[in-house]
Amino acid sequence: MLSCLVNVLYRTIYLLKNPCLEGLFISMLYFRARDDFQMTLLRVLEAATEEPSVILGEHKIFTSRIIPSLSVLYKGNKDGDARFLCLKILSDVMIVIFSDSSLTSDEQTITDLKSISQRHFLPLYPSFAEDEDPIPIYAQKLLVMLMEHGCVKVSDILHKATVSQCFEFLLGDLSNANVSNVKLCFALASAPEMDTHILSQLQVVRRIGNLLEFVAAKDMDDFLEPTLELCRAFIIRGTGSNRSIALSKNPALLVDSAFSMSIAVDQQTCVMDICDFGGNMGIFLELVGNSDPQISDLASDCVVLLLKAAPREATVGLLTNLPKLSAVMDLLKHDSSLRLIRLLYGLAFSCRQYLAQGMILSISVSALTRVEALVSVFKGSNDSLLADAASYLGVELQRLPRCG
């Protein structure tokens, strides 16, 4: 059956290669009065493009003739199934082309794909996003793929309405979210061209935190890394990318007064609801103990950066989750890593904030005792950075008041 469909497609391609017959094929595709015929032709294209060799063998015809024709057919088409097939075929063709290294390394092919993206995909994206399911999902996945391959720049979609559409999935049932949703939001939030005021107006920090809690509780491992990256991208808006990189590499800067002064101006332009992440400090700490080093590193980075971006709220979150912190520190005690050093300086910073802000919190004495015991061990570490962090924290712990 497939071979028959392939033969039909090759005959179609023959029409497209022949200037005299090309107009006939295009007219057949656009002939809206014959809806059944139109759907049949689209289904032939869909079935035949399931054979990658067909696309790879005639990729120039697809990029120069078929894809432009599909975009025109989509516009104004009242048949939802026809619109879906137009996008699906476009997506399938792009996936096959991007999966072939010989084509993605060809300058002309990339130029053609960029042209298709700018002329035939991006102008229709707002319509895709508001169309019937599953068109928005397919469109978003294709957009992420085009961005990953450099065919679409973040600056191409930085319209307030489009940005808002990208974050809308956070307002609904989180079980319907997909990884492409999160990756697209991360690309927007991390783009230097992105206006922080637009992100502030979205008021989505609490919902991003809810997403992180949800995917962690449901063991949706493929979501963890992109969701943590999204959290960090929002937090960095308040600390500045260069200073965030410095703080990530050297968490001792968290308690450096000069560094704190240099970062104050950036905090005035941070995402206004970034403090809402303070309520998610517990899950950040839990994920520091994740067995995946990348997840653990991202989570510990979020802890340190959040303490700088939203000192009061993050301090409250850290100190009220001291039992979780002590458990993670115990888990990492045989791993003299940057993650552990981040936690030590993070707690030291929180101790200072607690006293400086005159906070009244219920701090677990038993957890505090366990932390002090671990700190005593870390002071004797052969890792000078770990030993220094432990010594600094030890002094701050002694200043904390002890109750019952």
Side-chain angles (χ1 to χ4, degrees), residues 205 271-279 306 310 313-314:
V205 169
V271 176
M272 297 306 294
D273 57 335
I274 199 65
C275 58
D276 287 345
F277 273 143
L306 184 59
E313 294 78 10

Side-chain angles (χ1 to χ4, degrees), residues 183-198:
K183 287 184 176 180
L184 182 55
C185 290
F186 166 66
L188 291 170
S190 60
E193 312 96 313
M194 184 70 215
D195 187 344
T196 301
H197 293 299
I198 293 179

